[in-house]
Amino acid sequence: MDRMHFCEHSSYQFNQPLESNRNNLMEMGGLVEKQVVDALQSLLQADSDLAQKVLDTEDKVDKLEMLIDEECTRVLALRQPAASDLRLIIAVTKAVSDLERIGDESAKIARMGQQLAEEGESPRGYVEVRHIGNHVRNMLRDTLDAFARFDAKKALEVAAEDNEVDLEYRSAMRSLVTFMMEDPRAISRVLNIIWSLRALERIGDHARNIGEQVIYLVEGKDVRHISVDEMQEKLKK
Amino acid sequence: METAQQLDKPSLGNNDAAKDKAIKEQDTMTQDTPYPDQTVGSPYVDDPKMRLRDVEVFYGDNQAIHGVSLDIGKNEVVSLIGPSGCGKSTFLRCLNRMNDTIDICRVRGDLRLEDQDLYDPKLDVVELRARVGMVFQKPNPFPKSIYDNVAYGPRIHGLANKKYDLDEIVENSLQKAGLWNEVKDRLHSPGTGLSGGQQQRLCIARTIAVSPEVVLMDEPCSALDPIATAKIEELISELSESYTIAIVTHSMQQAARVSHRTAYFHLGRLIEMNDTDTVFTKPEHDLTEAYITGRFG
C-alpha cells in the first residue's frame, strides 16, 4: 500500500474533499507559476500590458487561497484527519499562504516593470534578473512537482538551490550598489531592479518553504529553520 | 495517483479479468502489507507496572491473540485500538483473568503485575481483581443504593471496620469519580436511577473504592453522550495520577486525547505501540496508518 494515496478511504465523502483540495492547490500553483513567468517577462521586455495581466491575476489567486483554506478547515472540523491525512491538510494550508505570497511578490515585480517601462530602462541589472529569475522559476516548478508527486528528495533539492539563489542575490546586490555609487543619476531606475531582485529572492524562500512542507508531508519530519546539511541528516534517521 | 483513481472507480463491467482485478485491488491493503515480525515502535518501558510477554489466547481451536508482548508503565494511560475482532478486548480481559469465566478460553504466556504471576494457580482471583479493577462498556451498577454500590467492594474485602471508615471510602471514591456533588444528597436512592453518564462514573467509583493499582476500561464511553464522555475523559487523566490505566476504545480521537501510549492491534497481533503523538501524526507501520486514517476498519 502506498501511504500517499489520499483517495483510498472507506468513506467517499472523505476522499472527495482531500482530492479536490489537492487539485485546487495544483491549480493555484499553476496560476502563480504563470504569474512569476509573466512578471519576469514584463520586466525584461518593458511590457506594461503583460504586467497588468499579472496584477489582474492576483484576485483569482487570493480567492483560491481562501477557498482552499475553507475546505481544509471543513475537513479538520468534520473528519478529524490523522497521520498522513492530517499532514496533508497542514501542509496544504501552509503551502497556500506561501503561494499567495509568491503571487504578491510577482505583482511587485510587475509594478517595477510598469515603472521601468514609463521611466526608461535601467542601465544595469537585467542579466542578473534574468539569471536569478530563471533559477527561481525552476525552483518553483520543482517544488510544485514535488508536492504533486510527494517527492521529498526533489523538495530537498529545492532547498539546496535556495542557498545558491541567496548567494547570487548578494553578489548582484554588491555589483549594483557599486554601480549606483559610480553613476548616481541612475539610482532610481537601478533601485527598481534591486526591488525586483529582492522579490525574486523572496520567491525562492517561499519555494523552499513549500518544499519543507512536502518533506513534512511525506516524511513526517519538521525541517524548518535548519541548514540543508542538517535537513539531510534528519532525513537519514 | 493513477492506481488510486482506478481503485476509486473499479471497472466492474462484463470483463471477468477486470472484476478479479478490482476485487484483488480492494484486498491489496492487507495483502501488500505483511505483519511485522515483531511489534513496531516501543512496547516496553523501564520499571513496568504490568509486564506481559508472548500472550496467546485461544477460544477452543481458534487463536485470538498471537504472541503479544508489551509493558504498561506506572501511572500510565495505555490505549488499545484496532478494528472490531482484533483481540483488544480479549487481551484486556486477560489482565485481570476475566477470561476465566469463559470455559473454552485458554491463555498462554507470561503475564505479571509487578512480580506477581497473574496465572499462578495459587493466586486468589478475587484479590487480583481488587488490585486490577475493570469498568465495562455498559454501565452496570448493582440494583442497590448508590452508597451500597460503592461500599460493596470495601465490605467484602474487609477494607473498613467501622461505619465511619466506610463512609469515608464512599465519599472519597465518589469525589475521585467526580460524582460526589451530584449524588451527596441522595446516597441511599437506587444507583440504577442515575443517568447513563452518572452510572458509568458510579461504576468507576465502585472500581476505585477497593484502591486498585490498575484500572482496565473496556470502551467506557461508547454508551455515553459527548458531555458525559468528556467528563469520563477528564476523570481518566485525573485518575492516572494515582492509578495505572489501560483503556480499549473505538474512538481514535479518545485514544489520542487520553492516553500516553497507544497500541494498535490487527487480527490478534500487536502491530505497533508508540507514544500517542507518534501514532496519530506519523505512525511507523503502514497498517496503523491505514487504520487511523480510515482506509479500512
Side-chain angles (χ1 to χ4, degrees):
Chain A
M1 184 199 65
D2 189 339
R3 284 185 173 207
M4 291 297 152
H5 279 177
F6 288 98
C7 41
E8 289 180 353
H9 296 90
S10 334
S11 157
Y12 177 69
Q13 270 87 22
F14 192 6
N15 293 333
Q16 223 188 2
L18 286 180
E19 195 53 24
S20 82
N21 227 337
R22 242 168 55 85
N23 292 342
N24 284 337
L25 181 78
M26 287 304 127
E27 187 191 339
M28 185 173 172
L31 268 181
V32 168
E33 209 180 337
K34 182 94 180 34
Q35 266 190 310
V36 174
V37 174
D38 286 350
L40 269 172
Q41 191 88 341
S42 73
L43 180 75
L44 292 172
Q45 299 181 348
D47 185 342
S48 285
D49 295 339
L50 194 57
Q52 192 52 47
K53 212 176 117 196
V54 174
L55 296 174
D56 292 343
T57 320
E58 271 229 270
D59 197 33
K60 211 170 165 188
V61 171
D62 291 350
K63 285 212 173 89
L64 266 175
E65 185 200 14
M66 290 195 288
L67 176 78
I68 293 170
D69 271 345
E70 196 186 318
E71 193 85 319
C72 288
T73 313
R74 190 175 304 139
V75 171
L76 285 175
L78 300 186
R79 299 281 162 187
Q80 294 97 36
S84 57
D85 295 336
L86 177 64
R87 299 202 305 275
L88 176 70
I89 296 294
I90 299 293
V92 167
T93 48
K94 295 203 166 171
V96 287
S97 64
D98 276 310
L99 278 178
E100 195 270 334
R101 298 287 293 277
I102 293 179
D104 289 349
E105 298 293 343
S106 23
K108 273 186 207 163
I109 298 174
R111 262 181 236 117
M112 295 304 150
Q114 281 179 330
Q115 277 186 27
L116 283 172
E118 285 164 19
E119 294 170 13
E121 284 183 13
S122 158
R124 272 286 170 98
Y126 286 103
V127 179
E128 287 86 346
V129 168
R130 180 170 290 125
H131 187 66
I132 295 180
N134 278 337
H135 220 136
V136 165
R137 219 168 71 187
N138 291 341
M139 279 175 71
L140 182 57
R141 193 195 54 221
D142 287 349
T143 207
L144 289 170
D145 266 8
F147 211 119
R149 293 179 195 153
F150 306 120
D151 184 346
K153 206 171 139 241
K154 198 163 203 175
L156 189 67
E157 286 167 17
V158 172
E161 226 172 309
D162 185 45
N163 287 351
E164 287 171 36
V165 168
D166 290 352
L167 277 178
E168 283 165 10
Y169 167 70
R170 275 200 291 274
S171 109
M173 220 36 122
R174 267 197 303 275
S175 83
L176 289 176
V177 168
T178 318
F179 180 80
M180 285 192 293
M181 287 195 295
E182 285 165 4
D183 187 0
R185 286 167 305 168
I187 284 183
S188 119
R189 281 172 294 158
V190 175
L191 264 181
N192 282 339
I193 291 288
I194 287 186
W195 297 139
S196 306
L197 283 173
R198 169 82 190 146
L200 285 173
E201 190 267 340
R202 290 298 300 150
I203 293 176
D205 291 345
H206 289 301
R208 177 188 172 137
N209 289 350
I210 297 174
E212 288 167 352
Q213 291 309 319
V214 175
I215 292 175
Y216 171 68
L217 165 60
V218 179
E219 303 286 343
K221 287 174 182 156
D222 191 343
V223 290
R224 290 172 301 172
H225 311 299
I226 55 177
S227 72
V228 175
D229 290 343
E230 286 168 323
M231 275 166 130
Q232 266 163 342
E233 204 52 40
K234 207 165 178 178
L235 288 181
K236 268 187 215 150
K237 278 179 202 162
Chain B
M1 295 310 285
E2 269 171 30
T3 44
Q5 273 157 7
Q6 283 163 7
L7 242 189
D8 225 6
K9 293 172 197 146
S11 55
L12 286 167
N14 295 326
N15 188 343
D16 278 351
K19 235 184 231 178
D20 286 348
K21 194 173 161 233
I23 293 167
K24 210 179 128 213
E25 276 180 355
Q26 286 201 332
D27 256 6
T28 49
M29 201 77 77
T30 40
Q31 278 176 1
D32 288 359
T33 319
Y35 303 121
D37 293 337
Q38 69 194 91
T39 302
V40 174
S42 45
Y44 309 126
V45 294
D46 301 333
D47 190 23
K49 183 79 190 169
M50 294 192 101
R51 183 178 176 280
L52 312 151
R53 292 292 180 276
D54 305 315
V55 179
E56 300 196 318
V57 181
F58 299 82
Y59 289 114
D61 297 338
N62 210 344
Q63 187 166 4
I65 305 265
H66 301 258
V68 169
S69 301
L70 61 91
D71 285 339
I72 302 175
K74 270 200 183 91
N75 294 357
E76 188 179 43
V77 182
V78 167
S79 61
L80 313 177
I81 60 169
S84 292
C86 68
K88 52 194 188 307
S89 290
T90 300
F91 182 76
L92 192 77
R93 291 161 61 88
C94 295
L95 305 186
N96 69 347
R97 290 183 58 174
M98 227 42 184
N99 285 331
D100 288 12
T101 55
I102 303 168
D103 285 341
I104 56 165
C105 182
R106 279 183 301 127
V107 178
R108 277 211 307 241
D110 185 25
L111 297 90
R112 285 175 189 280
L113 170 62
E114 289 178 336
D115 290 329
Q116 175 67 56
D117 180 358
L118 297 185
Y119 283 80
D120 182 347
K122 280 176 266 168
L123 179 74
D124 177 0
V125 180
V126 175
E127 198 179 309
L128 167 69
R129 290 183 191 147
R131 288 180 72 189
V132 185
M134 191 155 193
V135 177
F136 298 87
Q137 181 173 2
K138 273 174 86 178
N140 53 353
F142 302 136
K144 290 167 176 283
S145 71
I146 294 170
Y147 184 94
D148 287 337
N149 258 287
V150 183
Y152 184 81
R155 270 193 199 126
I156 62 163
H157 287 288
L159 297 180
N161 300 322
K162 298 187 191 118
K163 172 93 172 60
Y164 173 79
D165 291 341
L166 200 56
D167 285 351
E168 196 175 288
I169 291 177
V170 170
E171 181 177 342
N172 267 337
S173 310
L174 286 168
Q175 290 269 20
K176 276 191 196 157
L179 194 61
W180 176 249
N181 286 334
E182 291 162 56
V183 301
K184 63 183 174 199
D185 302 324
R186 46 173 171 151
L187 286 175
H188 295 284
S189 48
T192 45
L194 297 171
S195 75
Q198 287 172 328
Q199 284 187 18
Q200 192 65 304
R201 277 180 284 149
L202 178 62
C203 293
I204 293 176
R206 185 178 69 192
T207 307
I208 58 185
V210 290
S211 309
E213 294 157 52
V214 182
V215 180
L216 308 175
M217 298 186 172
D218 192 354
E219 296 182 44
C221 300
S222 56
L224 304 183
D225 74 11
I227 294 171
T229 302
K231 279 192 181 161
I232 301 276
E233 285 177 5
E234 188 105 325
L235 182 59
I236 290 172
S237 63
E238 276 167 31
L239 291 180
S240 72
E241 285 167 21
S242 21
Y243 307 98
T244 300
I245 297 172
I247 174 170
V248 163
T249 174
H250 269 155
S251 158
M252 282 176 275
Q253 274 72 44
Q254 181 168 65
R257 284 191 297 263
V258 301
S259 64
H260 302 129
R261 286 191 308 144
T262 297
Y264 172 63
F265 282 72
H266 187 89
L267 296 178
R269 289 177 171 81
L270 176 60
I271 303 295
E272 174 166 353
M273 185 161 188
N274 251 326
D275 287 345
T276 298
D277 278 357
T278 311
V279 170
F280 286 93
T281 54
K282 177 68 184 161
E284 279 181 46
H285 199 271
D286 287 354
L287 281 172
T288 321
E289 168 101 18
Y291 177 67
I292 65 163
T293 55
R295 282 164 174 78
F296 68 81

